[in-house]
Amino acid sequence: MSTEQMINLLFTATIETLVMVGIAAAIACLLGMPTGILLHVTKTDGILENNKLNNVLSIIVNIGRSVPFIILLVAIIPFTRLVVGSSIGTGAMIVPLTVASIPFIARLIEGALLDVPTGLVEAAQTMGATPLQIVMKVLIPEAMPGIINSITITLVTLVNYSAMAGTVGGGGLGDVGIQHGYIGFNPTIILITVILLVIIVQIIQSIGERLVSKVDHR
């Protein structure tokens, strides 16, 4: 493989990794954040206490978090084919990445909301705020540093998961590292793949920390 071919291969793989992680994270946030909020408000002494609903959600989330990603990846292949028509490639890997991320981010969001002082919620209730107003104007704004930190952790985890997806032809840097580096016995590609993954994680972490420092006024 010439140097130019290697550069093109790694550039394309990097773009595929960013696309997989970006789309999966966006969908996971859309579904995981409401789930995390629902877990928080329906807990005992929550503003919408509902133990049955909370228990059901909690069990579903726990089951989702208990399955190792590599097992989940294989187990939901029929579902992945149903959704995107294939079980290999960049598009197909977005499905298991999203499924794995939703319960993960839901728990992180729930944890971030726990950091909001109960006195603020009680004060809002005393002033006659509705549950929706409390969520939108008290819980989410006060927990924003924790929410951004949760999203950052999720993105970093997704980068790791996307590399793991390369073992089943998932595309991206993980696929290049395994197919051309490990199986093709090219240590240079393995090294560059690892370096690129580390750089992506560092960039995500740095952006996340800067955003947290901007919204954290405590």
Side-chain angles (χ1 to χ4, degrees):
M1 181 184 294
S2 67
T3 303
E4 185 179 354
Q5 288 175 321
M6 186 186 296
I7 292 173
N8 288 336
L9 180 67
L10 290 167
F11 177 76
T12 303
T14 302
I15 298 298
E16 288 176 351
T17 295
L18 294 176
V19 169
M20 278 192 291
V21 171
I23 295 177
I27 299 173
C29 285
L30 284 175
L31 299 176
M33 286 184 66
T35 305
I37 292 171
L38 205 53
L39 277 168
H40 179 73
V41 299
T42 58
K43 66 182 177 64
T44 303
D45 296 330
I47 58 176
L48 289 173
E49 181 178 342
N50 187 325
N51 289 328
K52 287 185 179 178
L53 177 59
N54 188 274
N55 287 336
V56 171
L57 278 177
S58 187
I59 290 171
I60 294 172
V61 168
N62 286 343
I63 291 173
R65 293 187 63 200
S66 301
V67 182
F69 179 68
I70 192 69
I71 302 296
L72 176 75
L73 191 63
V74 177
I76 67 168
I77 281 178
F79 177 69
T80 302
R81 285 180 179 152
L82 181 68
V83 174
V84 296
S86 173
S87 61
I88 59 173
T90 305
M93 286 308 105
I94 292 173
V95 177
L97 286 173
T98 303
V99 172
S101 304
I102 291 172
F104 184 77
I105 197 169
R107 278 295 183 207
L108 290 175
I109 296 298
E110 181 193 16
L113 294 174
L114 287 173
D115 290 336
V116 177
T118 54
L120 291 176
V121 176
E122 291 170 355
Q125 288 176 315
T126 303
M127 290 186 286
T130 64
L132 181 61
Q133 288 174 325
I134 293 173
V135 169
M136 300 302 294
K137 296 183 178 180
V138 179
L139 290 176
I140 292 179
E142 289 297 323
M144 191 53 71
I147 291 173
I148 293 175
N149 191 48
S150 300
I151 294 172
T152 303
I153 293 171
T154 303
L155 283 167
V156 171
T157 303
L158 278 172
V159 172
N160 294 330
Y161 283 174
S162 73
M164 206 182 301
T167 57
V168 293
L173 289 168
D175 191 46
V176 169
I178 291 171
Q179 297 300 328
H180 297 273
Y182 179 67
I183 297 176
F185 196 63
N186 190 330
T188 302
I189 287 187
I190 293 179
L191 178 62
I192 296 174
T193 300
V194 171
I195 291 172
L196 287 172
L197 288 170
V198 170
I199 291 173
I200 291 173
V201 168
Q202 288 298 318
I203 291 174
I204 292 172
Q205 189 64 45
S206 297
I207 293 174
E209 289 175 358
R210 288 193 178 191
L211 289 175
V212 169
S213 66
K214 281 189 177 181
V215 300
D216 191 356
H217 303 297
R218 289 172 291 185

